[in-house]
Amino acid sequence: MAVKGSPRDMNKWLELLRDPNIHFPGESSEYRRARNQLLESEAELRRLNEQVAAQRRALPAGGPLKEDYVFESAADGTKVRFSDLFAPGKDALVIYNMMFPRWSEDSRAGAPGDKTGRLPLVEQPCSSCTSVVDGLNGAAIHLFARINLVVIAKTDHARLGTYAQERGWHNVRLLSSRNNTFKRDYHGETPEGEQVPTLNVFSRDEDGIHHRWTSELMFAPGGDPRHLDPIWPIWGALDFTPNGRGDSANYPSLQYDD
């Protein structure tokens, strides 16, 4: 898909906006000094983000795909092979492993009403994963212009399809892995069967399909769900606010008080 405009156009626009003496109404000199110091840190963080992204892109190909897994479409139960997830001309595949069912000890509120809400809580989807997929569904139309994107859950395909209808997920592709070992093989599931919210990237190369990257930060010492921050928009917005993202008590829910 052709994209209108060019980096040159963007640079010209940014040049018009640059102002080394920017101020806002009523700000104090104390605020401006602190803000300028923060601006230097933000620029350094941006530089570091670009460095990490470049390292990620430069990774050599990982292992070849273990097997051509067969999934079930959440839309109609149709069998779909892993190799068929690559559209013509798009050789990158991003997979989000959704926790549906949720973690067995997750006591957060279940889905409100509807068919999903009538399932036992332990069989319902994770509210945090739901928040992630809400965001991916909104971005899917833009992502599909360049890459392949799939959300995979372990639950029955009909349950997944029903939940997609209830949430209005009409843009993102959803598949059930209930009859294969993909999640277990690529660390989206523990040996005990607990689901794990990981992001996988695969590529289609001349010599076949290869694993390229997984959000392994979750498994590292001190790791936490922030390994998904790049695709989870709510935290980016909250981090801009004075109170920030808060603690685990502020994780997304399927029901909120008015």
Side-chain angles (χ1 to χ4, degrees):
M1 176 181 290
V3 179
K4 294 182 178 179
S6 68
R8 180 178 298 178
D9 296 333
M10 179 63 71
N11 289 336
K12 181 178 180 181
W13 177 67
L14 289 174
E15 191 62 39
L16 293 172
L17 294 178
R18 289 194 175 96
D19 181 358
N21 298 307
I22 190 170
H23 289 81
F24 291 89
E27 69 178 30
S28 65
S29 58
E30 179 185 17
Y31 172 87
R32 180 43 49 189
R33 282 195 301 273
R35 182 64 185 94
N36 285 344
Q37 290 174 351
L38 174 60
L39 189 60
E40 292 179 6
S41 297
E42 290 174 339
E44 175 61 18
L45 178 60
R46 177 63 178 173
R47 185 199 65 76
L48 185 58
N49 280 335
E50 288 296 327
Q51 176 182 316
V52 171
Q55 286 181 264
R56 188 182 298 119
R57 292 191 297 270
L59 277 173
L65 183 67
K66 184 177 180 182
E67 64 179 86
D68 198 5
Y69 302 94
V70 178
F71 301 93
E72 295 173 298
S73 169
D76 56 12
T78 302
K79 301 295 189 295
V80 181
R81 288 192 172 277
F82 194 104
S83 55
D84 293 330
L85 299 178
F86 291 87
K90 299 175 187 175
D91 294 326
L93 170 63
V94 173
I95 296 175
Y96 178 61
N97 290 293
M98 178 184 183
M99 297 171 69
F100 187 177
R102 61 175 57 196
W103 178 44
S104 59
E105 296 185 28
D106 184 354
S107 60
R108 286 176 293 177
D114 296 323
K115 290 184 178 180
T116 304
R118 293 195 289 272
L119 294 173
L121 185 61
V122 73
E123 297 178 23
Q124 291 195 30
C126 167
S127 53
S128 294
C129 287
T130 295
S131 172
V132 171
V133 180
D134 283 342
L136 290 175
N137 182 70
I141 188 172
H142 306 287
L143 294 171
F144 286 153
R146 300 185 60 181
I147 64 171
N148 305 286
L149 172 67
V150 176
V151 174
I152 293 177
K154 190 73 171 183
T155 193
D156 175 84
H157 74 84
R159 286 186 176 183
L160 184 57
T162 294
Y163 193 51
Q165 290 297 318
E166 293 171 356
R167 297 297 300 186
W169 293 339
H170 304 305
N171 299 324
V172 69
R173 188 176 191 179
L174 297 112
L175 301 173
S176 168
S177 63
R178 65 172 182 164
N179 293 322
N180 66 43
T181 61
F182 169 76
K183 280 197 158 198
R184 183 74 56 86
D185 295 339
Y186 286 93
H187 299 286
E189 182 180 359
T190 70
E192 296 73 32
E194 294 281 4
Q195 301 304 293
V196 183
T198 53
L199 194 73
N200 303 127
V201 179
F202 291 82
S203 64
R204 180 174 57 186
D205 308 300
E206 291 183 359
D207 58 343
I209 297 170
H210 290 83
H211 172 251
R212 302 295 299 209
W213 180 87
T214 289
S215 52
E216 295 181 37
L217 187 60
M218 186 175 190
F219 307 114
D224 63 23
R226 294 190 183 202
H227 70 119
L228 292 174
D229 274 14
I231 63 162
W232 201 350
I234 64 170
W235 300 126
L238 289 171
D239 282 345
F240 284 122
T241 67
N243 292 329
R245 63 179 67 194
D247 56 25
S248 60
N250 296 299
Y251 281 174
S253 176
L254 295 182
Q255 299 187 50
Y256 294 99
D257 295 331
D258 293 335

